[in-house]
Amino acid sequence: MTTSMAELRKHHADLNATFNSGKTKSITWRKQQIKALILGCTEQQEEIYKALSLDLGKPRPSCMSEVGGIIKEAKDAYYDLPKWMDITKVKTPLMFQPGASSWLQPQPLGVGVIIGPWNFPFTLMMQPLLGAIAAGCCIVLKPSEFSPNTSNVLKKVVEEYLDNEAFRVVLGDASVSELLMELKWDKIFFTGGTEVGRKVAVAAAKNLTDVTLELGGKNPVVVDKDIGMKTCVKRVLWAKMENAGQFCLGADYMVLHQDIADEFLAEFTKLHQEFWGDNPGKPETIDKMPCRIVNERHWQRLYDMIVEIEEAEPAGSKGEIIYGGSATANKATLFIPVTLIRDPPLNSRVMGEEIFGPLLAIITVPSIDAAISFVNNMPLKHPLAVYSFSNNTKVARRVIEDTMSGTAAINDVILQVANNFLPFGGVGASGMGFYHGKYSFDTFTHHKAVMKRSLGWDPVFGDRNYSLHLDTQALEKLVRMIFFSGGEVRDPSLFEVAMKRTIFVACLAASVHFGKEYFF
């Protein structure tokens, strides 16, 4: 099933008409839609679990965490929405007083489109949709064609539970996304690969459309020699196995201190075998795996990465496989084993591309300085996340502070994404913009700057529009006092701050008492 340009134009026109009617601006309507979203996810959860299992082989606990996370975030949004929709008061300079106030007025951006990925096909569509509902926007959703079962369930939830005058789902391949980019939207939200992200950015630029890009990158794990080895290995192994490594936040490569590299690799191998044995490619073992590769094309890409290392001439010129490899890979079951590659060169595919699978490159370095330098000099800069492991807080924080990434975590991997009080998003090649929790609301909202003044008070600037009879010399003195006083740039004392405010207020009071002619 696909969607024609005529259908897309109709969706676009219908949603613009709905938004222009003003119905989505009501807090009552928004809360109704959030409740409906919660109800749809709750009542259709078994269908969602089944779809995720069919598309990606996800076990039930992983499916439950996806759906449960959306329900939890939606409940938080429901209760916090009045506070989000309220104005945010900001300071107003004394020179505009008395009778002046300023604030930020949140307003929905309008009609938008959300284009989602296949690796978390339900969560990564519903999270931005929730933000759009809370903000009062109308949305067309385009889920990935690589997760068709989940896309169909998503369409069912939206059509049966949400207001179809404000929300539509369109299905189809990449050509549908290209057609969507030909229309003028008020907001584009895209999650996917960097190359497609560039095309989306170009399309958005043609209409000067507000765009959020959630992309990927090569996320490093920097490990100091002063660590709790077992805990570190468990957390990294879990992160590599989660969704079979098909995770934009997953560990892409590790930069290990050379003093602990052998110990780390031995512990990693030991722990993996404890869970999945010597041959994790067996059918009975695969059923216990966190996930499988999504399709044959992505399986082949990962397999070719491994083969490039195994068949390199001379041997070892593309790195050394310490664990795993192509022997147990199975195209029929879309299985790729966890594979550790030690010291691959930068010109290898493993280091030149985002892996997005259960392969993990291991780079050994002599110091933290060398680790930071390696990360900062990678060809693919600005990853979505940097992870730092160390018992020394100063060392761990230094890694975070001296590298650039969209997000970061210290002594753990991936879990920062589960904290909805933190914004989630990339920087540079890993994306632009952010969302989750209140930040999802902000992503689909324009915070308009507003200043209000009283019509009854205008002691200083009352005659600013009547320049013919102004005493320009007196006015120049006033402007200097307001904008150019203070001398050199330094931190003022509390006494100086108090005196400046007192003098300014005294001038205002004098102008009111003696009339505008006192200054002008």
Side-chain angles (χ1 to χ4, degrees):
M1 181 185 292
T2 189
T3 308
S4 68
M5 189 60 176
E7 291 175 289
L8 297 180
R9 292 187 187 279
K10 185 177 187 309
H11 291 325
H12 186 266
D14 290 347
L15 266 57
N16 271 285
T18 298
F19 182 76
N20 292 333
S21 73
K23 71 182 290 186
T24 67
K25 295 181 180 180
S26 160
I27 188 172
T28 301
W29 180 88
R30 299 186 200 187
K31 295 187 84 168
Q32 286 174 345
Q33 296 307 301
I34 293 174
K35 286 182 71 173
L37 183 67
I38 294 171
L39 182 63
C41 291
T42 302
E43 292 186 348
Q44 298 297 323
Q45 59 183 301
E46 292 298 330
E47 290 295 315
I48 299 168
Y49 299 163
K50 181 180 178 181
L52 290 171
S53 179
L54 289 171
D55 287 332
L56 288 154
K58 293 195 176 190
R60 187 176 179 86
S62 296
C63 300
M64 292 177 69
S65 66
E66 282 206 48
V67 178
I70 291 297
I71 293 174
K72 173 65 168 61
E73 191 169 339
K75 288 180 178 179
D76 291 342
Y78 182 88
Y79 293 120
D80 291 337
L81 187 59
K83 181 171 60 178
W84 295 354
M85 291 179 64
D86 199 7
I87 63 171
T88 302
K89 294 182 179 181
V90 299
K91 293 180 180 179
T92 303
L94 281 171
M95 64 183 178
F96 299 118
Q97 303 298 352
S101 58
S102 306
W103 65 87
L104 299 177
Q105 181 79 49
Q107 290 185 305
L109 284 173
V111 178
V113 59
I114 298 172
I115 301 175
W118 51 261
N119 59 327
F120 289 90
F122 191 78
T123 297
L124 297 185
M125 291 296 289
M126 283 300 182
Q127 278 185 318
L129 174 61
L130 176 59
I133 293 172
C137 293
C138 297
I139 294 293
V140 170
L141 297 105
K142 164 58 178 73
S144 173
E145 66 273 22
F146 295 127
S147 50
N149 296 286
T150 308
S151 297
N152 288 328
V153 175
L154 181 81
K155 183 177 176 68
K156 178 180 179 181
V157 170
V158 171
E159 291 181 348
E160 293 187 7
Y161 292 88
L162 299 184
D163 185 345
N164 291 164
E165 292 183 351
F167 307 106
R168 306 283 172 87
V169 177
V170 297
L171 302 177
D173 58 18
S175 63
V176 176
S177 298
E178 293 172 359
L179 292 176
L180 284 169
M181 291 300 98
E182 295 180 16
L183 300 173
K184 186 179 186 335
W185 305 95
D186 300 308
K187 176 71 182 184
I188 298 174
F189 191 106
F190 171 80
T191 304
T194 301
E195 290 305 314
V196 179
R198 287 193 179 98
K199 296 178 182 179
V200 172
V202 169
K206 290 179 181 179
N207 293 312
L208 297 180
T209 299
D210 189 298
V211 61
T212 296
L213 301 177
E214 298 295 342
L215 309 177
K218 293 191 74 64
N219 306 316
V221 181
V222 178
V223 182
D224 184 28
K225 62 181 177 181
D226 180 14
I227 59 165
M229 182 63 71
K230 289 188 176 181
T231 301
C232 176
V233 170
K234 285 181 180 178
R235 292 175 181 179
V236 172
L237 175 59
W238 170 80
K240 203 65 222 176
M241 296 298 293
E242 177 63 23
N243 217 44
Q246 300 167 119
F247 204 146
C248 58
L249 277 172
D252 204 89
Y253 67 99
M254 297 190 69
V255 187
L256 280 172
H257 195 287
Q258 61 189 19
D259 291 352
I260 62 165
D262 291 338
E263 182 185 358
F264 181 93
L265 293 170
E267 186 66 30
F268 191 102
T269 301
K270 174 185 173 184
L271 186 62
H272 185 268
Q273 289 181 344
E274 284 180 6
F275 280 104
W276 291 287
D278 293 327
N279 182 15
K282 298 182 295 186
E284 61 269 28
T285 305
I286 289 177
D287 290 339
K288 300 176 184 178
M289 299 290 279
C291 196
R292 60 171 167 75
I293 306 305
V294 64
N295 57 35
E296 288 189 6
R297 181 167 69 89
H298 286 282
W299 182 93
Q300 191 65 51
R301 180 182 61 84
L302 294 167
Y303 182 81
D304 290 345
M305 283 185 178
I306 298 174
V307 171
E308 179 193 43
I309 297 164
E310 292 177 335
E311 298 181 355
E313 292 291 343
S317 60
K318 294 293 185 179
E320 178 188 3
I321 292 182
I322 303 298
Y323 184 67
S326 64
T328 57
N330 189 320
K331 193 170 186 177
T333 58
L334 298 177
F335 171 74
I336 290 286
V338 169
T339 300
L340 301 179
I341 306 110
R342 185 164 186 169
D343 292 322
L346 291 179
N347 63 359
S348 63
R349 289 187 62 184
V350 167
M351 294 305 294
E353 303 174 18
E354 181 182 6
I355 293 175
F356 221 69
L359 282 59
L360 183 63
I362 308 294
I363 307 297
T364 56
V365 293
S367 66
I368 284 295
D369 288 337
I372 293 171
S373 177
F374 186 91
V375 171
N376 287 334
N377 287 289
M378 279 288 290
L380 294 178
K381 297 183 183 297
H382 301 159
L384 190 55
V386 167
Y387 303 110
S388 176
F389 280 81
S390 178
N391 285 325
N392 187 322
T393 301
K394 288 184 178 180
V395 170
R397 292 195 62 172
R398 186 182 163 216
V399 171
I400 301 302
E401 292 166 1
D402 289 354
T403 58
M404 176 64 78
S405 62
T407 68
I410 293 175
N411 293 333
D412 215 323
V413 185
I414 292 176
L415 287 187
Q416 74 273 21
V417 73
N419 182 353
N420 290 326
F421 297 101
L422 284 173
F424 173 74
V427 59
S430 60
M432 60 181 74
F434 42 76
Y435 71 124
H436 285 193
K438 168 68 161 53
Y439 301 99
S440 296
F441 172 86
D442 292 337
T443 290
F444 289 90
T445 298
H446 170 60
H447 293 276
K448 182 186 291 184
V450 181
M451 191 171 102
K452 171 182 173 291
R453 295 200 68 212
S454 168
L455 291 172
W457 293 86
D458 211 356
V460 175
F461 294 108
D463 286 329
R464 62 186 184 274
N465 296 322
Y466 302 97
S467 58
L468 290 177
H469 67 279
L470 283 179
D471 181 344
T472 56
Q473 289 185 346
L475 183 57
E476 183 178 329
K477 290 180 181 179
L478 176 64
V479 172
R480 283 186 177 280
M481 181 188 74
I482 294 173
F483 296 110
F484 298 100
S485 63
E488 73 277 8
V489 178
R490 60 183 174 82
D491 293 332
S493 67
L494 292 176
F495 176 77
E496 288 176 314
V497 172
M499 285 302 298
K500 286 181 180 179
R501 291 180 177 177
T502 301
I503 292 170
F504 197 92
V505 172
C507 290
L508 290 175
S511 69
V512 173
H513 181 73
F514 293 105
K516 297 169 186 175
E517 292 78 10
Y518 183 79
F519 277 117
F520 305 121

